[in-house]
Amino acid sequence: KLATKALGFPENYVRNEDKLGWVTKAFGSNFIGYDLCAAIKEFFRKEHYEKFSVTEVLQAAGHPCVGKADAFFSHAQKEPLEITFECMQRYEVQREKRIKFFLDYFCLR
């Protein structure tokens, strides 16, 4: 959730209906993975970070939550983000520790 807060997502995000109108038609107003991808691209374009992933930027800033992943998180991009993040939190509760996830939204360029 740290990365989404830094992006101002979802608080400052407005879905571009010209590009993602199909998402609204198919999934309603729920924010899904395609929305997060769009928010990352928009933010990184404004900040001139297009050559980097979110994880690379956080690592360069020395953020302590970045490092070797403990788990790969597989999901569908059409899945509501609240479900994705809730599943990640549940896994941490089950393991009784903080987990560093490989989550493609933040790790891929």
Side-chain angles (χ1 to χ4, degrees):
K1 296 234 174 175
L2 161 79
T4 58
K5 285 184 183 184
L7 296 167
F9 185 88
E11 299 81 13
N12 299 324
Y13 174 74
V14 176
R15 183 180 289 156
N16 180 334
E17 292 297 330
D18 291 336
K19 292 181 180 180
L20 295 175
W22 65 271
V23 171
T24 304
K25 288 177 186 171
F27 305 104
S29 61
N30 289 334
F31 292 128
I32 63 173
Y34 292 103
D35 291 299
L36 182 54
C37 287
I40 291 168
K41 285 180 185 177
E42 181 181 326
F43 182 86
F44 273 45
R45 199 172 300 120
K46 286 180 186 175
E47 298 297 323
H48 306 288
Y49 292 156
E50 299 100 319
K51 295 181 181 181
F52 305 101
S53 69
V54 174
T55 302
E56 289 171 319
V57 172
L58 290 173
Q59 184 177 25
H63 197 281
C65 289
V66 177
K68 183 179 176 188
D70 301 310
F72 174 85
F73 191 83
S74 182
H75 64 94
Q77 244 177 276
K78 67 180 183 176
E79 179 177 84
L81 288 169
E82 60 197 30
I83 291 174
T84 302
F85 295 137
E86 182 180 317
C87 289
M88 293 168 70
Q89 289 172 337
R90 285 183 181 192
Y91 185 71
E92 286 182 323
V93 169
Q94 287 175 346
R95 298 292 307 269
E96 298 179 345
K97 68 176 188 170
R98 297 286 288 165
I99 303 292
K100 289 181 182 172
F101 289 97
F102 178 97
L103 184 62
D104 61 348
Y105 300 127
F106 305 116
C107 299
L108 301 178
R109 296 179 187 165

